[in-house]
Amino acid sequence: MLTVLFGVAGLLALAAAVLPKLVAERPFSTPLVMLIAGVGLGLLPLPAPYGNGWADPTAHLTSVESFAQLGILVSLAGAGLSVDRPFGLRRWASAWRLLGITMPVMIAVVALLGWWWLALTPAVAILLGAVLAPTDPVLAGEVGVPSPDAHPEQARDNEIRSTLTIEAGLNDGLTMPFVLLALALAGQRPELDVRWVLVALLLPVAIGVLVGLGAGRLLGWAMFRTSSSRFRLADYADGLVLVALAFLPYAVAELVHGNGFVAVFVAAVAVRTEERSHDYHEVLHSFGRQLERLFVAIALLGLGLALGDGLLRGFSVVELLVAGVAVLVIRPVVGWLSLLGSSAGPHASGAIAFFGVRGIGTIFYLAYALDRFPVPGQDVLWRVGALAVALSVLVHGVLAEPAIRRIEALGGHLPTSGDPGGLTEVRRDRAAREPGAD
């Protein structure tokens, strides 16, 4: 059995390396190919490690949670390093609107549908809304910002790609308070009070930000600023430092009861802020993208395998309707309304609102929540969550690149006024590194 697993792992690594080239310029994506392949395998009479087959995620919740967690950590570090737009309330205004308005409103509306259409208890309905809230930093790579060392004309910051990357980097961590609240309401904690909300839900986010800033400044100094060439990490051009950037802030934040996901993204942004134009960013970015592609291949193949093997057994049309409305109606409508009057402009606002990609974050939080406190209706949660991810992979994977390119061709990438984020300075730094620059 172990030998077979090694062979499957090798094939997945090969697929992760080859598929992006094969599907380039075509109306489908690598995640979609892996999902379809998984469904096909799931329909075959393959031996399964558990009595209920591959379709029962509750049989191995800890494994599902751990794998999804690894994928999220790596992708958060990569997303943070990809953010070219300097931090600021005005510079990140579109992302703040998505995080502060779109995300909680979407959770509330999905929870209402779960209670009304699926007859879930209020607590379980809130949990459903929470697990469908995070936009995925792994799958969002399909529409994320370009590589840090791309040509200035190709890599220029734009409202669509930057906003989606920032949103995906932060809302994985900001989903945790809503999940914990749902579990508390479900009965894990008998009493709710203001002190518990502040200490258990909000304080970890603040701790995560502080740990991320500290870890990012320290790692940024070790990469670029230390006077000793033996310890200056950027001189080694080793992509494995990305793993340190993904794991160390998370571990420190969790040890001090902080939000680890927030800490990782903030740390990566802080490292990018420490030195924006160094070639080492491309080394880290490339290594991170390779790891992300491998995680995507395994995760989507596994999801497809479960879908083909019977995860949807007993599902109702209403469950499909809830998943479809959440991904294709609620997110686009609420996102577009929250961006009204922003600097994004109408074309960019529509794209940002539509491309709320669901993926590994949903899988992680389902496994995380149900591993700690099984709730009634968890089969419904898994079916709706899996359907939402599959629909997102299908629709966003097919439409992402053509839509983004079309909008950018129409000028949707340009801010409507001013120079948000000091982008002129960033582009000037990049241009100075081009051959023939003065």
Side-chain angles (χ1 to χ4, degrees):
M1 184 64 178
L2 185 60
T3 303
V4 174
L5 291 177
F6 279 132
V8 171
L11 289 174
L12 286 172
L14 186 62
V18 173
L19 275 176
K21 284 79 174 176
L22 296 179
V23 302
E25 309 297 332
R26 290 177 171 82
F28 48 89
S29 64
T30 301
L32 178 57
V33 173
M34 299 308 301
L35 180 67
I36 294 173
V39 172
L41 288 174
L43 294 173
L44 299 176
L46 299 176
Y50 299 98
N52 294 332
W54 299 95
D56 184 13
T58 60
H60 42 101
L61 285 174
T62 302
S63 298
V64 173
E65 177 189 340
S66 299
F67 177 81
Q69 185 179 40
L70 288 174
I72 291 173
L73 290 176
V74 170
S75 64
L76 287 176
L81 290 174
S82 297
V83 176
D84 233 354
R85 178 168 295 185
F87 174 82
L89 293 178
R90 185 177 65 88
R91 294 162 179 171
W92 287 19
S94 296
W96 297 136
R97 291 183 181 217
L98 293 177
L99 295 167
I101 301 174
T102 303
M103 181 177 168
V105 171
M106 178 175 175
I107 291 175
V109 175
V110 172
L112 179 62
L113 291 182
W115 170 76
W116 185 19
W117 289 359
L118 299 177
L120 299 175
T121 66
V124 177
I126 293 174
L127 181 59
L128 175 63
V131 300
L132 293 183
T135 54
D136 198 87
V138 181
L139 299 182
E142 299 291 318
V143 292
V145 295
S147 166
D149 78 335
H151 189 277
E153 282 303 306
Q154 297 172 337
R156 60 187 172 187
D157 179 275
N158 63 72
E159 192 74 14
I160 301 170
R161 296 179 186 271
S162 289
T163 299
L164 289 172
T165 301
I166 294 168
E167 181 201 12
L170 282 173
N171 67 6
D172 269 307
L174 296 180
T175 297
M176 182 64 78
F178 293 97
V179 171
L180 295 177
L181 175 63
L183 292 179
L185 292 173
Q188 189 182 42
R189 179 181 175 86
E191 295 182 3
L192 298 178
D193 51 44
V194 175
R195 182 180 179 277
W196 180 83
V197 171
L198 293 175
V199 173
L201 302 187
L202 301 182
L203 183 60
V205 175
I207 294 174
V209 171
L210 294 176
V211 170
L213 287 173
R217 292 297 297 273
L218 181 61
L219 287 171
W221 174 82
M223 290 180 193
F224 307 110
R225 305 298 185 190
T226 179
S227 58
S228 173
S229 60
R230 293 187 178 184
F231 294 100
R232 194 180 306 119
L233 298 174
D235 291 350
Y236 292 97
D238 195 332
L240 281 173
V241 174
L242 180 83
V243 178
L245 180 58
F247 291 175
L248 287 177
Y250 178 84
V252 173
E254 292 292 324
L255 286 173
V256 296
H257 305 289
N259 190 310
F261 287 163
V262 170
V264 173
F265 181 74
V266 171
V269 172
V271 168
R272 186 62 190 269
T273 302
E274 194 76 13
E275 172 58 63
R276 292 194 174 280
S277 58
H278 201 285
D279 291 339
Y280 188 46
H281 287 302
E282 172 57 19
V283 176
L284 296 175
H285 185 275
S286 297
F287 184 73
R289 288 299 293 163
Q290 291 170 1
L291 290 178
E292 287 175 17
R293 289 201 301 267
L294 182 59
F295 277 112
V296 166
I298 297 174
L300 270 299
L301 187 74
L303 178 62
L305 191 62
L307 289 172
D309 194 43
L311 178 62
L312 299 181
R313 188 179 296 114
F315 99 104
S316 65
V317 176
V318 176
E319 292 171 359
L320 177 61
L321 186 61
V322 170
V325 168
V327 175
L328 304 178
V329 178
I330 298 175
R331 158 66 192 215
V333 171
V334 176
W336 180 76
L337 290 175
S338 69
L339 292 172
L340 285 176
S342 71
S343 61
H347 294 298
S349 294
I352 292 168
F354 181 73
F355 287 112
V357 185
R358 267 59 195 171
I360 294 182
T362 294
I363 297 172
F364 167 78
Y365 276 113
L366 274 172
Y368 174 91
L370 299 178
D371 192 30
R372 283 155 180 77
F373 191 77
V375 298
Q378 54 185 309
D379 290 343
V380 175
L381 295 180
W382 276 112
R383 289 196 294 265
V384 174
L387 285 169
V389 174
L391 283 172
S392 181
V393 170
L394 173 62
V395 176
H396 296 137
V398 170
L399 297 179
E401 232 10 78
I404 295 294
R405 289 180 182 178
R406 176 61 177 166
I407 293 170
E408 289 178 346
L410 293 172
H413 60 279
L414 297 174
T416 57
S417 62
D419 182 24
L423 303 180
T424 301
E425 180 181 351
V426 173
R427 294 167 188 163
R428 188 183 300 120
D429 289 341
R430 283 180 175 168
R433 296 189 288 124
E434 293 296 314
D438 294 335

